[in-house]
């Protein structure tokens, strides 16, 4: 989609650039800060953006965390909360306050993120990564320790 909103954060694509505004407590605006913004903040680092997604996850202590992803130059980028590896950079801790290129994906045409899991359509295949307690990554695994921190190609 060209506009996405979730839990106090909104992002939109215009003229090949993505801009985000609202809550930035986990770096989900992508401007290398954690300062909220009541006006759109354009991400200068991404060009030729064709899609954007925002998604939240509620932790056990009732805290909400947001991750944002985008397609730019036919590559996937994610930022914000990374508790389960949903940024796709091989890590499961902390936050990414600026866009991080998701490794191993080319010819990306769409992206989605929500509830701690991110997925993309790349080179006509589906890839997912992040929270996988209930098998939502789609690779046949589930449960504690089954989270995927980098894209997993699915057989569909």
């Amino acid at each position: 989609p060209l506009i996405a909103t979730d839990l106090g954060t909104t992002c939109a694509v215009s003229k090949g650039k993505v801009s985000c505004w609202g809550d930035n407590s986990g770096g989900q605006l992508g401007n290398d800060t954690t300062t909220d913004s009541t006006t759109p903040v354009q991400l200068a680092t991404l060009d030729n953006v064709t899609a954007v997604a925002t998604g939240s996850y509620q932790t056990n202590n009732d805290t909400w965390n947001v991750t944002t992803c985008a397609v730019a130059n036919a590559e996937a980028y994610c930022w914000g909360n990374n508790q389960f590896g949903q940024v796709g950079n091989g890590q499961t801790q902390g936050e990414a306050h600026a866009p991080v290129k998701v490794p191993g994906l080319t010819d990306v045409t769409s992206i989605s993120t929500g509830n701690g899991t991110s997925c993309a359509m790349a080179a006509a295949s589906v890839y997912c990564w992040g929270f996988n307690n209930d098998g939502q990554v789609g690779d046949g695994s589930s449960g504690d320790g089954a989270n995927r921190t980098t894209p997993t190609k699915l057989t569909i």
Side-chain angles (χ1 to χ4, degrees):
L2 297 177
I3 191 162
T5 187
D6 194 349
L7 200 65
T9 302
T10 303
C11 296
V13 177
S14 177
K15 299 177 184 171
K17 291 287 195 177
V18 64
S19 298
C20 298
W21 59 96
D23 177 43
N24 194 30
S25 57
Q28 64 266 34
L29 298 187
N31 63 343
D32 212 17
T33 75
T34 56
T35 304
D36 297 349
S37 179
T38 58
T39 59
V41 176
Q42 188 178 79
L43 302 185
T45 58
L46 298 180
D47 293 314
N48 302 311
V49 178
T50 56
V52 65
T54 60
S56 61
Y57 176 81
Q58 184 178 16
T59 64
N60 291 336
N61 65 1
D62 241 9
T63 301
W64 287 89
N65 298 306
V66 177
T67 304
T68 306
C69 295
V71 176
N73 290 311
E75 297 177 316
Y77 292 84
C78 295
W79 58 95
N81 183 266
N82 194 33
Q83 181 178 359
F84 305 106
Q86 63 266 42
V87 169
N89 62 350
Q91 300 176 15
T92 58
Q93 70 246 7
E95 301 161 342
H97 297 165
V100 173
K101 183 179 172 184
V102 180
L105 300 181
T106 59
D107 298 323
V108 180
T109 55
S110 65
I111 198 156
S112 179
T113 189
N115 202 31
T117 306
S118 301
C119 295
M121 178 70 72
S125 294
V126 175
Y127 293 82
C128 293
W129 58 97
F131 189 57
N132 195 32
N133 197 56
D134 297 315
Q136 56 269 54
V137 167
D139 66 353
S141 66
S142 66
D144 291 340
N147 297 340
R148 302 292 180 244
T149 61
T150 57
T152 300
K153 184 176 181 180
L154 305 181
T155 302
I156 295 183

